[in-house]
Structure formats: structure tokens, C-alpha cells
């Protein structure tokens, strides 16, 4: 099965509307449009309209949000709904990022509700999973990944699972400059795909795109993405500059 690589820039709480316009202009100058890789920018909510304006209808770069509510609308201060994301033209939403799990107490069960809500609105979830250093050193890597996959994707049909993106991001590698070796990353991705095959069947498992995330940069991107089960990258720090994000896109083709 050949899977189109997908590279996403998670800007986290960085880059306001004015800076975003400069970023998109610089990215357009990098000539990434013709590269056969799905490209996604995931700005803070308030920056999304500026990114859409700067893209000016250019379909080659998709836009995502960093979170979404599991509710429709109403008295949920600070929340953003799928309807609002659809109105802005967001195609993707990052869900279950380790920073949401760590600082906002998000659990697999809660993230599962958000995944279902996103899917029901036609928005593609980029579902983040990954172990902490303590869990890895304590021999819990596989059990943690398995529960994140099984609980986070509970009740989804094989067709729904086949269409989502899963980002494997070892927590100890996010923003630390430490990257999993290509072999360790591949082993984790292969394990995730095997759990998917057990839960939703081999066909859907084969279609799911699995990104690696955790200190991906131009220098290590090609080696990571040459692994058979790594279908792209979710990039934080190295995606804050257009030239470095473009270099990672070029490394994925
Ligand atoms: C992330 O936050 O998803 C991430 C992978 O960050 P970084 O690339 O900075 O490690």
C-alpha cells in the first residue's frame, strides 16, 4: 500500500496573524506546491483566518486547528466547535497532543469524544499518542500505545480509522532536541499498525497514515520518513520558519 506522506506544522501558541502572513508568503516562495506530499499548517485559533487569507484559495496547503470541543455549541467558555472550524475551512484538527494531555488533563476517553465529533463534521483528526520517558524506561511502551489506540479510537468503524492520521510522538522527544532513532521510531510505528490491524483489520490498518513527531528537523527528516511505517511528520519547533518547514516537506517526497 502506498500512502501519501503528510507533513504538518504544529505552531502551538506561536505566530499571530501578522507573522502568519509573512510565513505563508515565504513558504509560497519555497515552491512546495508541486511536491506530492500533503502539507498542513496548524495555527493557533486566532491565526487561522489570516492563514486562510494569505493562502488565497491555494489548495495545496491544508489548514488545521489545535483542538476542538466535543460539544455542539452553548455555554462552554473558551471552547471552539467543529461548526466554527468548518466555517473557517479547516480540514484537520490535532487531538490528544501530549501538551493537552499533560496541562489540561485530557484522557483517552475524552479525546475519543472529540475524535468522533470531528469525524461527524468531516474534519480529519490528527490523533497524537506517545509514551513518557518513565513509561518507556519502565517497559510500558507497548501497553501505553495500545491503550491510547484502543481507547482513543473506540467505536470507530474501519473506514473511519482508515481516514484519520495518527501522530506517534514520544513525549520525551517533543521540544527537547532528542529524537527517537529511526529504528526505535519505526518499531513503535510498526507496533501501532499491528494494534490497528488487531482492532479494525489489516486493510484499514494499512491505509492509516502514521506520522512521527518529536524534534523533527531538516537534518533528520529524510531518515525518519524513509522508514516503511512512517508516513510523515508532525513538526513543532522546526515548523516555525518557512525555510525549515519547506526543507522537511522536501525530505518527505
Ligand atoms: C509537537 O509538538 O507536536 C512536536 C513534535 O514538537 P517539536 O517538533 O518541537 O518536538
Amino acid at each position: 500500500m502506498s500512502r501519501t506522506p503528510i507533513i504538518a506544522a504544529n505552531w502551538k501558541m506561536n505566530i499571530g496573524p501578522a507573522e502568519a502572513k509573512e510565513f505563508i508568503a515565504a513558504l509560497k516562495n519555497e515552491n512546495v506546491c508541486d511536491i506530492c506530499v500533503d502539507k498542513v499548517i496548524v495555527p493557533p485559533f486566532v491565526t487561522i483566518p489570516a492563514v486562510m487569507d494569505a493562502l488565497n484559495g491555494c489548495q495545496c496547503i491544508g489548514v488545521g486547528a489545535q483542538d476542538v470541543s466535543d460539544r455542539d455549541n452553548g455555554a462552554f467558555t473558551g471552547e471552539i466547535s467543529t461548526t466554527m472550524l468548518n466555517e473557517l475551512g479547516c480540514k484537520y484538527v490535532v487531538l490528544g497532543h501530549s501538551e493537552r494531555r499533560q496541562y489540561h488533563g485530557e484522557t483517552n476517553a475524552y479525546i475519543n469524544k472529540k475524535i468522533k465529533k470531528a469525524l461527524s463534521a468531516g474534519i480529519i483528526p490528527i490523533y497524537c499518542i506517545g509514551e513518557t520517558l518513565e513509561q518507556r524506561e519502565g517497559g510500558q511502551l507497548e501497553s501505553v500505545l495500545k491503550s491510547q489506540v484502543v481507547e482513543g479510537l473506540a467505536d470507530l468503524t474501519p473506514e473511519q480509522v482508515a481516514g484519520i492520521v495518527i501522530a506517534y510522538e514520544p513525549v520525551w522527544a517533543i521540544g527537547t532536541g532528542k529524537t527517537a532513532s529511526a529504528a526505535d521510531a519505526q518499531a513503535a510505528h510498526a507496533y501501532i499498525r499491528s494494534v490497528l490491524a488487531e482492532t479494525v483489520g489489516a486493510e484499514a490498518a494499512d491505509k492509516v497514515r502514521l506520522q512521527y513527531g518529536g524534534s523533527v528537523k531538516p537534518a533528520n527528516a529524510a531518515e525518519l520518513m524513509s522508514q516503511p511505517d512512517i508516513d510523515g511528520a508532525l513538526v513543532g519547533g522546526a515548523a516555525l520558519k518557512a525555510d525549515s518547514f519547506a526543507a522537511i516537506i522536501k525530505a518527505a517526497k
Side-chain angles (χ1 to χ4, degrees), residues 10 12 97 99 128 169 173-177 213-216 234-238:
N10 176 15
K12 311 193 187 190
H97 192 282
E99 288 149 15
C128 302
E169 303 202 298
I174 297 179
T176 58
S215 298
V216 173
L234 182 56
V235 189

Side-chain angles (χ1 to χ4, degrees), residues 24-91:
I24 298 298
L27 188 62
K28 283 182 174 169
N29 282 337
E30 295 283 343
N31 300 319
V32 290
C33 269
D34 291 339
I35 299 174
C36 282
V37 167
D38 287 347
K39 302 159 271 288
V40 185
I41 307 259
V42 187
F45 290 123
V46 296
T47 303
I48 294 172
V51 169
M52 293 298 186
D53 276 359
L55 287 173
N56 194 22
C58 163
Q59 297 296 317
C60 103
I61 295 167
V63 178
Q66 297 179 16
D67 191 23
V68 79
S69 175
D70 64 320
R71 314 294 183 111
D72 285 326
N73 63 285
F76 302 104
T77 303
E79 294 289 277
I80 299 287
S81 70
T82 50
T83 310
M84 295 169 186
L85 296 188
N86 274 330
E87 192 174 334
L88 292 183
C90 286
K91 198 170 160 195

Side-chain angles (χ1 to χ4, degrees), residues 13-253:
M13 198 168 68
N14 298 293
I15 307 194
E19 201 186 335
K21 288 186 179 177
E22 289 168 22
F23 181 105
I24 298 298
L27 188 62
K28 283 182 174 169
N29 282 337
E30 295 283 343
N31 300 319
V32 290
C33 269
D34 291 339
I35 299 174
C36 282
V37 167
D38 287 347
K39 302 159 271 288
V40 185
I41 307 259
V42 187
F45 290 123
V46 296
T47 303
I48 294 172
V51 169
M52 293 298 186
D53 276 359
L55 287 173
N56 194 22
C58 163
Q59 297 296 317
C60 103
I61 295 167
V63 178
Q66 297 179 16
D67 191 23
V68 79
S69 175
D70 64 320
R71 314 294 183 111
D72 285 326
N73 63 285
F76 302 104
T77 303
E79 294 289 277
I80 299 287
S81 70
T82 50
T83 310
M84 295 169 186
L85 296 188
N86 274 330
E87 192 174 334
L88 292 183
C90 286
K91 198 170 160 195
Y92 300 88
V93 63
V94 170
L95 292 173
H97 192 282
S98 66
E99 288 149 15
R100 301 287 320 167
R101 293 176 187 264
Q102 186 181 349
Y103 303 128
H104 302 273
E106 293 197 8
T107 62
N108 293 332
Y110 182 46
I111 299 160
N112 176 251
K113 289 187 184 179
K114 295 186 181 201
I115 290 175
K116 288 176 182 162
K117 180 58 82 182
L119 286 169
S120 70
I123 300 172
I124 301 171
I126 299 178
Y127 174 43
C128 302
I129 62 174
E131 81 289 359
T132 63
L133 190 57
E134 295 70 40
Q135 290 166 332
R136 176 172 273 258
E137 289 178 342
Q140 294 168 269
L141 170 65
E142 294 195 347
S143 63
V144 168
L145 294 181
K146 187 168 198 165
S147 55
Q148 289 173 331
V149 170
V150 172
E151 293 166 22
L153 303 181
D155 311 321
L156 267 53
T157 65
E159 292 71 28
Q160 285 176 317
V161 173
I164 72 167
V165 178
I166 297 179
Y168 167 64
E169 303 202 298
V171 179
W172 47 272
I174 297 179
T176 58
K178 289 183 200 155
T179 315
S181 69
D184 281 349
Q186 164 56 25
H189 282 236
Y191 177 70
I192 293 163
R193 212 179 288 286
S194 74
V195 173
L196 289 166
E198 273 168 32
T199 49
V200 289
E203 199 184 326
D206 204 34
K207 287 186 182 154
V208 181
R209 290 185 293 175
L210 302 181
Q211 295 176 311
Y212 171 78
S215 298
V216 173
K217 35 192 177 282
N220 59 23
E223 189 191 4
L224 284 160
M225 288 185 278
S226 67
Q227 303 301 311
D229 285 294
I230 302 185
D231 310 311
L234 182 56
V235 189
L240 295 176
K241 294 275 176 259
D243 56 351
S244 125
F245 183 50
I248 294 170
I249 293 168
K250 288 169 189 169
K253 68 174 175 174

